[in-house]
Amino acid sequence: MSELPLLARKLDEADELASLRDRFVLDDVVYLDGNSLGALPAHVPDRVADVVRRQWGELRIRSWEESGWWTAPERIGDRIAPLVGAAPGQIVVGDSTSVNVFKAVVAAIRMADAGRDELLVDASTFPTDGYIAESAARLTGRTLRPVTPAEVPAALGDRTAAVLLNHVDYRTGRLHDLPALTAAVHAAGALAVWDLCHSAGALPVGLDEHGVDLAVGCTYKYLNGGPGSPAYLYVRKGLQDRFDSPLPGWNSHAEPFGMSPSYTPAAGAPRGRVGTPDILSLLALEAALDVWDGVPVAAVRAKSLALTDFFLRCVAEYTEPGRVECVTPERHAERGSQIALRCPDAGEVMKRLIARGVVGDFRHPDVLRFGFTPLYVGFRDVERAARVLGEELA
C-alpha cells in the first residue's frame, strides 16, 4: 500500500497556511482550476450585498463620495501592489486585461525613442496578447516580431521599441526569467511590458525591484476576485509623467468634472483610467483581497512548489510509465504554480476527472492543466487528484 496518503496528511498538519482554507467557500471537490477562476472568499457575498442594498440601494449617487467609489481604482491598486512587489501609487484597477495590454503596449511604443520601429511579442503568449500586439503595431506603424522568451536577448536591437512578455506560460506553466529579460530589454534601450495573469498571487514578482516599466494582470485567478473581475495596470513611477494612454477618458482627466473639450491627463496612476469604473465587480474584488491580510507571498510560493513537487511524485507513483508527459519544467526557477501533463486523450480524461470531483482543465490539443492555489489547496487534495487521475488513465 502506498505511503502517499499518510505523507499527505502529515504535510497538511505541518502546513502553516492550512487555516486559510477556512476563508473560502469550498466543498468535497478537489479544485485545481484556480489558475482560471479562483474560489469564492467566504465573506464576499455579505460585502457585495451591502454594496448593492445600502451603498447603491440607499445612498445611491452619494456613494461615489461617501462610500469611496470614486477612489476605488487606485485604492484597490494599492492593495494589489504588495502582492506584485510594487510601492503604492503605481497601480490602477479597471477594465479588462486585454484593454490594459493595449494601453500598456501603445503607451510603451509612444515612450520609445524615435526610430525604434519594432515590437517584440512572446510567440507562446495567450492568444489575446498576440492579437492586441498585432493591432497595436498596425496602429502605431511598427513591425511586429513574435519570438519566444528564450530568443528575446538575441532579437533585441536598436530597432526595438518595446517587448510584451508573459511571466508564466498559460499552457505549460513555465516561469520566465523576469529580472534577466527586463534587464536585457533595458540594455537594448527598449521598454518591458509584462503580463502577470498567471503569477500574481502565486509567486513573488518584484516589479519595482527589477525595474519593470509596465505590467498588466487579471484578478480572477490567484487573486480570487470573481468571474470577470477587473484587471490592473502598473506604470512605474518614473514613467508616469510620460505615460500617454491611447484610451484617454474623462476618468483619467486632470479635472474629470470640468467637462473640458480638450484632454489634460491626470497625474500618477489615474492616467490609466478610462471610463466609469465597474463598481460592483470592483468592490467584490476589494473584499476578496482581504484573504491576503497577513499572508506573505514568499510563504505562498514555498507551498506552491511543495504542492507541485508532491503532485509530480504522486503522479509518478499512480500512473503507468509513459502514460502522461509533464511539460512543466521540473526546476523550481522555471515553474509557476501549475502542472501541465500531456496525453493523447486529455479532453476525455479531464471530463472523467471532473465527473469524479477533481477539477482541472483541458488545453487543446492534448494538455491536462492543474492549478495549485496555496491559499486553499492542501496536500491531501493533491494526493487524491493524482490517485483519481491514475485510475482514469488506467
Side-chain angles (χ1 to χ4, degrees), residues 3-312:
E3 64 176 5
L4 293 177
L6 178 59
L7 177 57
R9 182 178 297 277
K10 289 180 177 179
L11 289 170
D12 277 337
E13 290 172 353
D15 176 18
E16 63 183 71
L17 300 182
S19 63
L20 298 177
R21 186 182 180 97
D22 295 336
R23 299 183 185 182
F24 293 87
V25 176
L26 297 166
D27 49 26
D28 291 335
V29 166
V30 176
Y31 189 64
L32 301 181
D33 209 6
N35 52 329
S36 285
L37 176 65
L40 172 66
H43 67 286
V44 168
D46 287 343
R47 193 80 61 83
V48 171
D50 177 71
V51 173
V52 172
R53 292 173 181 155
R54 183 180 63 83
Q55 296 181 27
W56 178 16
E58 298 175 17
L59 295 178
R60 292 178 286 274
I61 197 70
R62 292 163 53 194
S63 275
W64 283 105
E65 183 173 339
E66 295 181 26
S67 300
W69 288 0
W70 183 259
T71 58
E74 294 78 47
R75 182 177 72 245
I76 300 170
D78 285 345
R79 294 283 302 278
I80 293 173
L83 302 179
V84 292
Q90 299 176 100
I91 294 179
V92 65
V93 180
D95 306 311
S96 68
T97 307
S98 303
V99 172
N100 282 313
V101 169
F102 178 76
K103 286 186 271 186
V105 170
V106 174
I109 291 172
R110 288 177 173 179
M111 286 188 279
D113 294 337
R116 292 183 174 269
D117 61 356
E118 188 172 72
L119 170 65
L120 302 185
V121 63
D122 183 347
S124 59
T125 189
F126 188 76
T128 294
D129 283 19
Y131 306 154
I132 295 292
E134 194 276 334
S135 180
R138 281 191 290 118
L139 286 169
T140 59
R142 263 62 176 186
T143 299
L144 182 68
R145 186 179 175 193
V147 295
T148 66
E151 295 169 334
V152 165
L156 292 164
D158 56 11
R159 291 183 55 197
T160 311
V163 184
L164 172 61
L165 292 164
N166 269 261
H167 197 190
V168 174
D169 185 291
Y170 80 99
R171 184 183 288 108
T172 67
R174 176 179 291 275
L175 173 65
H176 298 302
D177 192 340
L178 181 147
L181 288 170
T182 300
V185 171
H186 288 167
L191 284 86
V193 182
W194 284 91
D195 183 328
L196 309 178
C197 285
H198 287 269
S199 56
L203 52 92
V205 177
L207 293 179
D208 287 354
E209 177 185 358
H210 304 302
V212 169
D213 300 304
L214 301 109
V216 301
C218 66
T219 61
Y220 45 78
K221 301 183 189 295
Y222 296 107
L223 298 183
N224 311 296
S229 57
Y232 57 90
L233 170 67
Y234 164 91
V235 182
R236 179 161 56 84
K237 190 173 289 293
L239 294 179
Q240 289 177 356
D241 289 345
R242 297 169 53 202
F243 180 80
D244 183 6
S245 175
L247 295 173
W250 76 284
N251 259 234
S252 63
H253 198 285
E255 296 183 10
F257 294 98
M259 303 302 168
S260 170
S262 60
Y263 180 73
T264 303
R271 284 194 179 200
R273 294 175 66 155
V274 183
T276 304
D278 299 321
I279 291 298
L280 297 184
S281 58
L282 192 59
L283 298 188
L285 165 62
E286 182 174 35
L289 291 171
D290 288 350
V291 301
W292 285 95
D293 290 348
V295 180
V297 176
V300 171
R301 175 58 169 167
K303 182 178 176 182
S304 164
L305 292 172
L307 288 169
T308 49
D309 280 344
F310 188 58
F311 182 68
L312 290 174

